[in-house]
Amino acid sequence: MRKRPMRKELSFLRSGRVTAGAILVGIVLICALFAPLLAPHDPQEQNLITTLTPPAWSTGGDPTYLLGTDSLGRDVLSRLLYGARVAMTVAVAASLGAMLIGATLAHLAGYFGGKVDWLIGRAVDVWMSFPPVVLSLVLMTGLGAGISSVILAIVLVDWTRFCRVLRAEVLVTRRQDYVAAARLVGFSHWRTLTREILPATMPLLITLFSIEMGIAVIVEAILSFVGMSVGANQSAWGQMIADARQTIYESGWNLVLPMLAIFVTVLGFNLLGDGLRRTLDPRLAQAREL
Amino acid sequence: MTASMLEAKNLTVESRLADGCRLPVLSGISFALETGKVLGLVGESGAGKSMLGRTIAQLLPPGFSVSAGSLSFAGRDLVRMGAQARRQLLGREIAFIPQEPLGALNPVMTIGAQFGEHLSRLGIRAEKRRRDEAQVLLEAVHLPRAVQLLRQYPHELSGGMCQRVLIAMAFASRPKLVIADEPTTALDATIQARIIGLMGEMRDAYGAALVFITHDLRLAAKFCDEVMVLYAGRAVEKGETRDLLSAPLHPYTRCLQLAVPSLSAPDRDLFTLPGEMPGLARLAGLHGCRFARRCPNVGEICRNEEPKLSPVAPKREAACFRTEMTLDIKVPNQGIPAQPKLASPLLLVEALEKRYRSRRGLLARTELAAVDGVSFTVSENEFVGVVGESGSGKSTLAKLIIGLETPSSGRIELGGHDASDRSENARRRRLESAQMVFQDPQSALNPRRRVASIVTQVLEAAAPRLPASARQLRAEELLAEVGLSAELGARYPSQLSGGQKQRVNIARALCATPKLLIADEIVSGLDVSVQAQLIALLRRLRRELSFALLLISHDLAVVRKLCERVLVMWRGKIVEQGVTAEVFARPRHPYTRELIAAVPGE
């Protein structure tokens, strides 16, 4: 009856939000992956003769420094590109970690129910009773500065987000007769979980993952702003903002550009996540079809 | 004076598809309904009966619109009426009773709040008067403790009570026209009978005209003055209920009638109407009579010309060229059913109990026995029915036997092994000899698996390394067994019709070649033609594969048709058991008698 111009699995590409988000994220990802090839300068190379050069298009700009230089004469464009590497590393690794812990516990809790559910549910409650900012600062103090500590802190703070939301979805799927039917044809618990329940929760998982990446980028920027992320020999967006504060009156560009980078990246992740939620959620998809 | 309350002339409703192309959903519908009369709209799902109801109530979904003809209510044109005037009519002079009572009530508002909102829309402002009025209306639909009820939320009431609340609300405005869209389909037979009686009472008390939409011919026979049979968006037959159902003129009506199992008439085979009703898209390219492809009386003329609904006898209209042949349609003989081997018991259930603890408040704990001391046996190749209303413990019994629930006490023996313990070994052994077919095919089939993968799930569990080709082969075999073509194997469940889904459901259970099949309400909620097809399928499979069936159903006629023995359950206990014909002809327990009396059309 219905026309099927595209395969069911690929239909989400038709959404404008998903396309826009994917393009933004894709650009940032390419910048991060190919930073050494794209960057015109070494991001740490100082040139104290040409400090605070404005971007190339404004008066006094220098075409060799496309987006100008900072107070130590380092190329802003190169620093932004390398900063994307840090942001993306943290976003992917931290979200993956939070998702693995959260999703595993959520599936166990929702599927087995009873005591397992109670135990995991209380653990999440206790965990969430700490304010996230306090918890991450405590963790960072304990773990010490560094990019792996940032990743670990985000994982330890944010796994509860996955656990809470996914558990509800697992519960709904668990009540479907086809899960009982799978057990009745002889599926083991493991096979039922991976073949029957996981495919149903996957859309939500992907959506949460995408939104979590945006959150991770912001958290990394905050922590590198206060100097708890990467060391001074690496460039990160938060660090660039912190550095540019001193010269805010001489060169506003140095402040605006890293902020813009963060803005675009987070916008991309959020658009992607929101779009995916709208297209992959069968309830919303049904409402649209009617 | 016999002025028509509702009159449709050549009404046509079209649906606009995504590519801009328009398809008629209803075409050329004409009828006139007088005050105080009940018009029944009958047909299979997809016939357009709900669409017609929604057109009258002005509740058409987006993309659908009336493209020709007229529909007038008490002399006013409903089609070309302004939105403002239409709102004035709806809920006041025209009321609507929906199919799913729970879905129609707001779960976060009390019954009283919803009732009050409706009454204030009707112009009753004073809070106290609204409460009094609501109480009077609830008492009129025989709901006890109306005052307390007004403070309750919809989920605290049963489906039958919710439906009664909706009926009370529908009649609150003293409407001139009430449209009831399958108001009893989701309810038990005993409650169904009460609701139908109640709607009749309300109609008499308020003098409203009623449009009653149903797929159940027996219900229509009991309740309607006039019946219009719809097929693929067209009226195929119209007339007074008694005439029409005692001597149908259109072959479709006749086939539907022959497909309905009866509780009291001499046992006969059911007519199985081949194929399915053509869908919207296929209708566009269809020439001739829309029913021609499935009609047993089809002739040359039917394939080339489309018959018009025209008067055949006094007050009778039919759209068929060969009405004189209709009554000659007979059910082909389907052979004698296989006989059970009574000597060898396959399933033995002894003093089985399942209690649930429910907590009320801090200290008070009550125990509820869902299954209370049940004992029975099922022999090899025997078909046994379990009947009773919802809440009688039928479904819990099925879950206990298959192992989805653990019994509180008692013994289950399956094929000579004890099946009541929870060990993994016992589970495997049990699943080798017993399988279950679930009630709701929508929920029982994983929407993300293809049909071929669903039916061979047993192989996936038993032999995960089996080559895909071997699995495909078995899938085709199974699909053929349940009468589906092999090409359906590549589809997803959402692309199948209700009957096809239920066949897939059965095929999956058959994959393990079980000795016992437990089927929970597998034919309820389906169209009569599909129901007859499934009954025929089960009987054929029994001959070919020889298995026993424990059929749980609230439809006594289906149980009579399929099963040799029947167990009647009431409040967790078996109150009566015996040979089906015997039990239904001479019921001993008062509850069995009540169940039988509730079946419409007997």
Side-chain angles (χ1 to χ4, degrees):
Chain A
M1 269 187 65
R2 246 171 282 137
K3 285 212 314 180
R4 293 188 172 272
M6 224 182 267
R7 281 189 57 187
K8 201 177 166 191
E9 292 84 355
L10 294 175
S11 62
F12 63 82
L13 282 179
R14 271 180 291 185
S15 151
R17 283 164 201 267
V18 176
T19 325
I23 288 172
L24 288 181
V25 170
I27 291 172
V28 179
L29 206 63
I30 288 170
C31 290
L33 283 175
F34 301 107
L37 298 176
L38 294 170
H41 299 271
D42 182 342
Q44 305 307 332
E45 186 191 82
Q46 302 183 359
N47 187 349
L48 293 174
I49 304 160
T50 54
T51 56
L52 297 177
T53 319
W57 58 85
S58 54
T59 47
D62 183 344
T64 48
Y65 301 109
L66 208 54
L67 295 179
T69 55
D70 66 1
S71 55
L72 291 173
R74 293 174 295 193
D75 179 38
V76 172
L77 177 62
S78 307
R79 285 180 72 72
L80 279 178
L81 289 173
Y82 276 88
R85 290 199 129 182
V86 175
M88 283 312 218
T89 312
V90 171
V92 172
S95 307
L96 214 59
M99 182 183 79
L100 277 179
I101 297 178
T104 309
L105 290 176
H107 280 83
L108 291 178
Y111 181 78
F112 289 106
K115 288 201 180 87
V116 182
D117 190 21
W118 187 89
L119 210 68
I120 293 173
R122 293 301 84 75
V124 171
D125 285 345
V126 170
W127 214 270
M128 287 183 100
S129 60
F130 291 105
V133 176
V134 175
L135 185 59
S136 53
L137 284 178
V138 168
L139 280 170
M140 288 308 292
T141 323
L143 296 167
I147 193 164
S148 49
S149 313
V150 174
I151 293 170
L152 201 58
I154 296 174
V155 170
L156 290 178
V157 172
D158 273 353
W159 67 270
T160 51
R161 191 193 308 272
F162 281 89
C163 195
R164 273 257 156 128
V165 179
L166 273 171
R167 178 185 160 272
E169 189 76 6
V170 176
L171 276 181
V172 171
T173 314
R174 177 86 177 91
R175 284 201 202 102
Q176 297 287 314
D177 282 341
Y178 68 78
V179 177
R183 284 290 290 159
L184 288 185
V185 298
F187 273 32
S188 60
H189 286 304
W190 168 251
R191 192 171 276 273
T192 313
L193 261 171
T194 51
R195 300 292 164 83
E196 304 290 320
I197 291 186
L198 196 60
T201 52
M202 202 45 117
L204 185 64
L205 202 66
I206 294 169
T207 306
L208 284 175
F209 183 67
S210 170
I211 293 171
E212 180 63 32
M213 296 224 278
I215 295 170
V217 168
I218 293 184
V219 173
E220 192 279 326
I222 293 171
L223 290 176
S224 64
F225 180 83
V226 297
M228 300 199 86
S229 179
V230 291
N233 57 343
Q234 258 183 305
S235 58
W237 293 340
Q239 205 182 45
M240 288 172 75
I241 297 175
D243 289 347
R245 275 181 312 162
Q246 276 97 41
T247 56
I248 184 167
Y249 296 112
E250 293 91 339
S251 166
W253 283 108
N254 279 342
L255 194 67
V256 171
L257 285 168
M259 282 161 83
L260 210 61
I262 295 169
F263 173 76
V264 167
T265 313
V266 175
L267 180 73
F269 280 127
N270 281 4
L271 277 178
L272 190 64
D274 195 38
L276 285 174
R277 183 182 64 82
R278 281 160 189 264
T279 41
L280 294 179
D281 189 331
R283 275 159 300 193
L284 287 168
Q286 261 165 19
R288 211 174 31 248
E289 258 173 44
L290 278 174
Chain B
M1 202 184 85
T2 54
S4 307
M5 184 52 63
L6 183 70
E7 194 169 354
K9 276 197 192 119
N10 202 22
L11 188 69
T12 302
V13 176
E14 281 185 343
S15 143
R16 191 203 292 264
L17 297 184
D19 51 3
C21 132
R22 290 162 154 272
L23 286 172
V25 186
L26 291 170
S27 32
I29 305 281
S30 304
F31 63 87
L33 177 63
E34 289 160 26
T35 303
K37 295 277 186 193
V38 182
L39 171 71
L41 300 178
V42 181
E44 292 171 275
S45 41
K49 50 192 197 308
S50 281
M51 201 51 77
L52 182 52
R54 282 169 161 265
T55 311
I56 301 167
Q58 304 287 324
L59 292 170
L60 278 178
F64 289 81
S65 61
V66 177
S67 61
S70 71
L71 183 67
S72 64
F73 166 72
R76 279 171 284 179
D77 189 345
L78 277 177
V79 178
R80 276 159 278 276
M81 181 179 279
Q84 180 71 33
R86 188 183 296 165
R87 264 205 302 279
Q88 288 292 321
L89 275 184
L90 284 181
R92 287 178 202 183
E93 289 179 54
I94 302 179
F96 192 80
I97 302 171
Q99 177 169 4
E100 291 284 342
L102 263 170
L105 289 165
N106 188 340
V108 298
M109 279 168 77
T110 59
I111 301 293
Q114 294 182 57
F115 227 114
E117 203 175 56
H118 182 59
L119 290 174
S120 79
R121 227 196 115 220
L122 295 176
I124 306 177
R125 295 271 172 248
E127 171 89 33
K128 173 140 185 8
R129 268 195 56 214
R130 283 208 298 252
R131 212 170 33 232
D132 294 345
E133 176 79 13
Q135 213 171 313
V136 170
L137 285 162
L138 288 179
E139 272 157 16
V141 293
H142 309 296
L143 279 169
R145 293 176 286 114
V147 185
Q148 195 188 330
L149 197 76
L150 285 173
R151 263 182 261 127
Q152 281 178 311
Y153 288 91
H155 70 265
E156 296 174 279
L157 311 180
S158 69
M161 285 167 93
C162 282
Q163 194 59 284
R164 274 189 247 190
V165 169
L166 284 169
I167 291 174
M169 274 166 100
F171 282 95
S173 55
R174 316 274 188 274
K176 296 197 181 110
L177 175 68
V178 177
I179 297 149
D181 187 358
E182 308 243 15
T184 59
T185 306
L187 306 174
D188 273 332
T190 41
I191 296 157
Q192 200 173 40
R194 271 176 239 154
I195 296 281
I196 292 293
L198 180 67
M199 294 207 321
E201 257 174 57
M202 297 299 273
R203 173 203 54 177
D204 294 340
Y206 298 110
L210 250 146
V211 175
F212 185 72
I213 299 164
T214 182
H215 69 265
D216 193 337
L217 279 177
R218 293 173 296 180
L219 263 186
K222 197 173 175 189
F223 187 51
C224 304
D225 301 299
E226 257 184 84
V227 167
M228 179 152 80
V229 182
L230 295 171
Y231 186 81
R234 275 186 188 278
V236 292
E237 187 165 9
K238 205 168 77 178
E240 290 192 348
T241 311
R242 193 175 303 231
D243 290 354
L244 189 140
L245 292 179
S246 60
L249 288 174
H250 197 280
Y252 180 56
T253 320
R254 174 76 177 159
C255 292
L256 278 188
Q257 211 177 21
L258 289 176
V260 179
S262 159
L263 195 55
S264 56
D267 193 33
R268 56 166 171 82
D269 282 331
L270 301 180
F271 190 86
T272 45
L273 203 53
E276 283 169 5
M277 189 180 304
L280 260 188
R282 269 180 43 214
L283 273 182
L286 215 60
H287 290 290
C289 177
R290 295 183 175 192
F291 187 58
R293 293 174 68 115
R294 301 170 77 188
C295 183
N297 282 351
V298 65
E300 196 51 42
I301 183 170
C302 309
R303 295 208 176 84
N304 302 320
E305 244 180 275
E306 183 158 13
K308 293 265 172 298
L309 189 69
S310 46
V312 191
K315 291 192 174 175
R316 287 294 296 277
E317 288 175 58
C320 183
F321 294 114
R322 327 173 110 205
T323 48
E324 69 286 350
M325 288 170 64
T326 298
L327 279 178
D328 298 336
I329 299 175
K330 290 280 184 300
V331 182
N333 198 335
Q334 287 160 357
I336 8 160
Q339 288 307 308
K341 298 174 204 146
L342 287 174
S344 41
L346 176 65
L347 171 73
L348 185 82
V349 173
E350 242 177 43
L352 193 66
E353 260 183 57
K354 176 72 187 175
R355 286 183 298 273
Y356 291 105
R357 256 195 301 250
S358 68
R359 256 194 204 189
R360 290 184 174 231
L362 259 181
L363 295 168
R365 275 187 195 175
T366 47
E367 270 206 338
L368 185 89
V371 172
D372 192 1
V374 164
S375 306
F376 65 94
T377 57
V378 176
S379 303
E380 268 175 43
N381 207 13
E382 187 184 26
F383 277 24
V384 176
V386 182
V387 298
E389 57 190 17
S390 43
S392 60
K394 310 185 300 264
S395 291
T396 312
L397 179 64
K399 283 184 185 152
L400 286 171
I401 295 169
I402 202 75
L404 287 175
E405 300 264 5
T406 358
S408 308
S409 68
R411 218 158 67 89
I412 303 168
E413 213 173 82
L414 194 60
H417 297 285
D418 183 17
S420 26
D421 70 300
R422 283 204 83 169
S423 71
E424 190 65 12
N425 266 340
R427 185 174 88 93
R428 295 230 171 271
R429 257 208 316 273
R430 182 167 51 222
L431 298 183
E432 272 165 28
S433 45
Q435 274 298 324
M436 181 151 168
V437 185
F438 286 85
Q439 172 171 11
D440 177 12
Q442 192 71 36
S443 147
L445 304 179
N446 189 341
R448 289 167 194 83
R449 272 176 187 268
R450 289 177 196 277
V451 168
S453 145
I454 290 175
V455 294
T456 52
Q457 267 183 305
V458 170
L459 299 181
E460 190 179 324
R465 278 182 195 81
L466 197 75
S469 59
R471 231 180 126 174
Q472 182 63 29
L473 216 63
R474 179 76 178 126
E476 279 168 21
E477 217 172 273
L478 281 164
L479 288 176
E481 255 168 28
V482 296
L484 292 175
S485 68
E487 67 201 61
L488 288 184
R491 296 214 193 150
Y492 288 101
S494 59
Q495 294 166 287
L496 303 181
S497 71
Q500 287 173 331
K501 276 184 204 160
Q502 204 55 286
R503 281 167 193 258
V504 171
N505 212 352
I506 293 171
R508 168 174 56 192
L510 290 177
C511 185
T513 54
K515 292 197 200 78
L516 172 69
L517 207 59
I518 298 171
D520 191 356
E521 302 273 14
I522 53 168
V523 294
S524 40
L526 295 171
D527 283 320
V528 281
S529 60
V530 179
Q531 184 179 310
Q533 284 172 2
L534 285 176
I535 290 174
L537 171 71
L538 282 172
R539 285 163 64 119
R540 179 170 62 76
L541 288 173
R542 178 193 199 176
R543 266 200 310 276
E544 289 167 8
L545 306 172
S546 91
F547 53 85
L549 176 78
L550 190 68
L551 177 76
I552 290 157
S553 179
H554 65 254
D555 192 334
L556 303 192
V558 168
V559 168
R560 179 182 184 240
K561 189 71 230 148
L562 264 175
C563 306
E564 286 91 43
R565 244 161 19 91
V566 64
L567 319 171
V568 183
M569 278 191 83
W570 182 57
R571 297 189 181 169
K573 289 191 171 69
I574 294 182
V575 294
E576 188 162 358
Q577 59 175 311
V579 178
T580 313
E582 190 74 13
V583 170
F584 287 165
R586 280 175 292 280
R588 290 216 183 85
H589 196 272
Y591 178 69
T592 318
R593 268 180 233 136
E594 195 188 324
L595 274 182
I596 292 169
V599 176
E602 302 300 329

